[in-house]
Amino acid sequence: MIRINQKICKEGHLMDPTWKICPVCLAPVCGWLVILNGQGKNKNKVYTLHEGKLKIGTGADCEVRVLMNTISRHHALLVSRDKKYFISDLNSVTGTYVNNVQIGSKEIIDSDIIKFGDFEFKFKCL
């Protein structure tokens, strides 16, 4: 839950009210998650991925905040390291799938299809 004295940057990251610049957004971009089966305002929505460790979920403390009811508060962790990308499920209720296979942790590559809850995303990397 976001408190009144907290700030959110333009990409949706939770910020301390004293920060002028979002530290997550300062990290270089390493790729994107593009929603494939969204409807309405979520159709073709793009989530920007920055280098480092990125928590994916509905929680305000997630670097990739996906507000959909079948996605857990802390659903998955995406890590970029030396131009390689890894995704791990964080004991989510609905699981994390890569190319229709449920995973615990897995290396992912460009154009893999990742499913969180009822939603499929295409992973695009630089």
Side-chain angles (χ1 to χ4, degrees):
M1 175 175 246
I2 298 172
R3 295 183 176 92
I4 293 173
N5 63 343
Q6 292 177 323
K7 286 187 347 187
I8 302 289
C9 79
K10 64 181 170 120
E11 285 195 29
H13 306 128
L14 184 63
M15 293 176 46
D16 184 281
T18 61
W19 298 344
K20 298 212 184 300
I21 299 171
C22 174
V24 176
C25 292
L26 286 177
V29 172
C30 67
W32 301 268
L33 284 175
V34 181
I35 191 164
L36 298 176
N37 61 341
Q39 297 175 339
K41 66 181 178 178
N42 288 321
K43 188 174 177 93
N44 298 320
K45 184 167 182 170
V46 176
Y47 294 88
T48 303
L49 305 175
H50 297 271
E51 287 183 3
K53 293 181 180 182
L54 303 171
K55 225 178 319 175
I56 301 167
T58 61
D61 59 338
C62 290
E63 290 81 12
V64 180
R65 196 163 180 223
V66 183
L67 299 175
M68 297 171 189
N69 61 359
T70 58
I71 296 178
S72 298
R73 187 168 56 90
H74 296 142
H75 198 101
L77 181 70
L78 191 141
V79 178
S80 64
R81 184 176 48 240
D82 299 326
K83 304 258 185 217
K84 291 189 177 204
Y85 306 91
F86 303 88
I87 194 156
S88 301
D89 186 76
L90 296 175
N91 297 316
S92 66
V93 174
T94 56
T96 300
Y97 295 77
V98 175
N99 300 323
N100 291 318
V101 176
Q102 188 169 11
I103 57 100
S105 186
K106 178 169 179 36
E107 183 174 357
I108 55 175
I109 60 173
D110 190 53
S111 296
D112 274 348
I113 304 299
I114 302 171
K115 183 177 177 187
F116 307 114
D118 295 334
F119 298 90
E120 290 185 332
F121 299 79
K122 181 176 270 194
F123 172 67
K124 297 302 294 175
C125 64
L126 294 175

